[in-house]
Amino acid sequence: MPHYNSGDTAWVLASAALVLFMTPGLAIFYGGMVRRKNVLAMLMQNFVTMAIVCLAWVWFSYSLAFGPDWGGLGLLGDLRFAALSHISSAVPGMAHQSIPQLAFVAFQMMFAVITAALLTGSSADRLGFAAFCIFVLVWSVVVYDPIAHWVFSPEGWLAKRGTEDFAGGTVVEITSGVSGATLALVVGPRRGWPHELMRPHNVPLSVLGAGILWFGWLGFNAGSALSAGRAVDAFINTNTATAAALLSWLLVEKLRDGRPTTLGAASGAVAGAVGITPACGFVNTVGATVIGLVAGAACALAVSLKFKLEVDDSLDVLAVHGVGGFIGTLMVGFFGVSAVNGANGLFYGGGFALLGRQALAVVVAVGWAFCATAAVAWAVHKVVGMRVGPEEELAGLDVSLHEESAYDFESLTNSGLSARAFMPSPPSRAPAEKD
Amino acid sequence: MRLVTAVIKPFRLQEVQEALRSAGVVGMTVSEVHGYGRQRGHTEVYRGAEYRVDFVPKVRIEVVCEDEEAERVVETIESTARTGKIGDGKIWVVAVEELVRVRTGERGAAAV
């Protein structure tokens, strides 16, 4: 029995729980930004993603991503750990880890969940429910598991080339951003976009969601240290960059639109956390602050990109996660400092070597996410048809897919009393007849 | 009898209500409505994208009163709802043919 460190194990398990909580946070963040008639469908997509990806993870996805490398090519794990068998050994390539492999399984499971969940923002308000479930399962296995192996598993080919991605700037952020926009491209825009008004229906929800994401991100990034002792750099850097990006997003809004907005503050915080994700364990306070400032400003400017590209990436997953992940991953090549972890970047005398490795990882992640997602989305769209019909889209997904409505504000049509009065056929067992 | 209907800015409602009560008006009906006049709508900006919101929130007040009281009701609403800025709203008066108090069955002016 190897000697596990109880502090490290406790921190990674706590972090896994923090990262799990990010997905409902994301659901709330996105739910506030969609129209009122689609908020439940958004929450539902995120919630069901938690179930689907978690089950797939323990049955086979974990093994594909982190199992012993298949043929030594660094492309995919084999199925040795399917259904979490043979799991008492160390994670392949991580013999030195002080935590049990199952703790790592749990922690990485939540990464797989939130990466897939991020795609809901790009394709909001128009996908059928069953089609979404099929897509998210196939996407997670075909697109996410391989790139997680390449970068996160020490036996993956990018990891072997020295790519530095502390918590998933490529695997999670670039992959979700580019994949999301690709999915939106394949399924087409929301009906009426971009001419019709599609205002966020509940900005307070989005702000709360961003707050939950900020909170959970501390586990996402600092948990990636896989040790309590080494987590502190990532923890403080994540918080610093998030704060810096919130302010720089607001500054861009003030200069461009005349007013800082609440949704901008929420979005800026997320952009900063995204930007620092690949870098959080490799940079110092200077690096974290600059990465945050640049990520916040760049993402704030990138949100108009979708109108130029004419791709209805509805809630700007590409602009926030794609662009933020791109910036963060490259910036490791400038601000990486060996005094913290890893290698020195350009600004700390490391030359261009690290920057080159980071650039390669960015190109691979963008290319892979685009090509593989296009193939998966196109195939699922061809076979099952991912979009709901025009009437359903117009009526809203909450009613047409789930026969529910999020809010009981219309006193005449939705209050408990009159809902009973309008019920077409009375319940077969009225309370009085119970006995 | 007259029906005085006023569409005003929502945040003036409380002042108008107080003023009408002081003026002896004993009842009113209010509803939240949306619309626009010369004020047109307004713009909102979300993530840099500008949205025109055509229908802005307003409050509609309805008061039924006797013929000779109508002018005083109108003046009271007019003076308390006014901010001097565009979008203060409108007031109009129409004749009421019949009025019934449901509880007692009283008709006409007695039901006011």
Side-chain angles (χ1 to χ4, degrees):
Chain A
M1 196 72 187
H3 285 285
Y4 297 129
N5 180 301
S6 57
D8 293 345
T9 307
W11 168 240
V12 171
L13 286 176
S15 292
L18 282 166
V19 181
L20 173 70
F21 193 45
M22 289 174 74
T23 299
L26 182 76
I28 293 283
F29 181 57
Y30 283 168
M33 276 190 273
V34 298
R35 289 163 291 170
R36 186 171 66 173
K37 60 186 180 180
N38 295 317
V39 55
L40 291 177
M42 174 55 74
L43 302 182
M44 183 69 155
Q45 286 188 354
N46 279 274
F47 232 65
V48 80
T49 297
M50 294 165 74
I52 292 173
V53 175
C54 281
L55 278 175
W57 190 254
V58 295
W59 278 95
F60 44 82
S61 280
Y62 172 73
S63 199
L64 292 175
F66 292 99
D69 193 72
W70 211 337
L73 299 170
L75 293 176
L76 204 60
D78 68 17
L79 287 173
R80 181 174 165 77
F81 298 140
L84 302 186
S85 49
H86 310 106
I87 210 80
S88 57
S89 57
V91 183
M94 298 189 185
H96 58 285
Q97 282 307 342
S98 57
I99 60 170
Q101 182 164 198
L102 269 179
F104 185 73
V105 170
F107 182 65
Q108 283 295 335
M109 171 156 57
M110 307 318 174
F111 278 58
V113 170
I114 190 149
T115 308
L118 281 162
L119 305 192
T120 59
S122 297
S123 57
D125 305 357
R126 52 202 191 271
L127 298 191
F129 183 63
F132 170 79
C133 293
I134 295 168
F135 171 81
V136 87
L137 173 64
V138 177
W139 183 87
S140 185
V141 174
V142 175
V143 184
Y144 181 81
D145 293 348
I147 195 167
H149 186 73
W150 302 351
V151 179
F152 280 164
S153 166
E155 301 192 338
W157 71 277
L158 281 171
K160 280 186 182 158
R161 281 169 174 265
T163 294
E164 292 196 350
D165 186 351
F166 200 82
T170 53
V171 179
V172 176
E173 309 302 348
I174 294 180
T175 301
S176 62
V178 173
S179 296
T182 307
L183 173 61
L185 181 68
V186 172
V187 300
R190 288 168 291 180
R191 231 155 253 283
W193 187 86
H195 309 294
E196 199 187 301
L197 188 78
M198 297 184 186
R199 236 179 349 159
H201 90 285
N202 190 337
V203 175
L205 274 190
S206 295
V207 176
L208 173 65
I212 293 174
L213 285 171
W214 187 337
F215 171 76
W217 228 299
L218 297 171
F220 188 92
N221 284 357
S224 292
L226 300 179
S227 114
R230 293 198 305 128
V232 285
D233 292 308
F235 193 102
I236 203 79
N237 283 336
T238 300
N239 206 59
T240 302
T242 303
L246 190 162
L247 294 179
S248 66
W249 184 301
L250 290 185
L251 186 66
V252 168
E253 286 192 333
K254 176 72 186 159
L255 297 175
R256 181 187 58 193
D257 313 322
R259 276 194 181 82
T261 68
T262 317
L263 184 60
S267 309
V270 173
V274 168
I276 198 64
T277 290
C280 58
F282 301 123
V283 299
N284 56 26
T285 303
V286 176
T289 308
V290 174
I291 289 172
L293 290 173
V294 173
C299 295
L301 292 168
V303 287
S304 61
L305 214 60
K306 65 178 176 188
F307 297 107
K308 295 197 181 81
L309 295 173
E310 291 180 18
V311 175
D312 182 15
D313 175 8
S314 309
L315 310 181
D316 305 303
V317 185
L318 178 64
V320 175
H321 296 268
V323 170
F326 171 84
I327 287 168
T329 306
L330 276 188
M331 295 277 251
V332 173
F334 294 100
F335 287 98
V337 48
S338 59
V340 178
N341 255 323
N344 276 325
L346 188 60
F347 294 164
Y348 292 90
F352 286 93
L354 180 57
L355 184 59
R357 297 200 293 272
Q358 297 303 100
L360 170 72
V362 166
V363 171
V364 168
V366 171
W368 171 251
F370 177 75
C371 297
T373 303
V376 169
W378 184 83
V380 176
H381 197 39
K382 269 278 171 258
V383 176
V384 294
M386 290 222 267
R387 287 190 72 127
V388 296
E391 292 85 10
E392 289 155 322
E393 193 174 331
L394 200 66
L397 303 188
D398 293 1
V399 161
S400 52
L401 294 184
H402 307 299
E403 295 191 336
E404 293 174 291
S405 45
Y407 304 103
D408 185 19
F409 286 160
E410 289 90 0
S411 53
L412 276 183
T413 53
N414 277 343
S415 75
L417 191 68
S418 43
R420 198 179 314 150
F422 288 133
M423 204 182 278
S425 54
S428 51
R429 289 179 54 190
E433 299 163 1
K434 238 195 302 197
D435 296 351
Chain B
M1 295 147 297
R2 301 290 171 106
L3 167 65
V4 181
T5 305
V7 172
I8 63 166
K9 286 182 171 167
F11 74 95
R12 301 305 298 168
L13 176 62
Q14 205 163 0
E15 282 81 354
V16 171
Q17 188 201 353
E18 305 275 324
L20 284 175
R21 190 185 288 148
S22 309
V25 174
V26 294
M28 67 171 70
T29 304
V30 299
S31 36
E32 292 178 38
V33 294
H34 292 83
Y36 62 91
R38 285 191 196 168
Q39 178 193 11
R40 305 288 304 276
H42 64 271
T43 53
E44 296 182 2
V45 180
Y46 297 97
R47 285 187 167 173
E50 215 173 85
Y51 297 92
R52 258 212 90 70
V53 180
D54 283 333
F55 299 105
V56 294
K58 297 282 168 187
V59 164
R60 180 174 58 202
I61 302 174
E62 288 164 304
V63 176
V64 181
C65 58
E66 294 188 43
D67 290 348
E68 57 272 22
E69 278 179 36
E71 189 51 36
R72 198 154 49 89
V73 171
V74 169
E75 276 167 15
T76 307
I77 298 176
E78 185 189 348
S79 56
T80 39
R82 179 180 292 139
T83 68
K85 297 205 182 90
I86 197 160
D88 273 352
K90 294 237 182 336
I91 306 171
W92 60 92
V93 182
V94 293
V96 174
E97 207 165 284
E98 181 62 294
L99 188 67
V100 180
R101 172 168 284 124
V102 174
R103 175 172 56 89
T104 59
E106 289 162 288
R107 307 257 156 168
V112 169

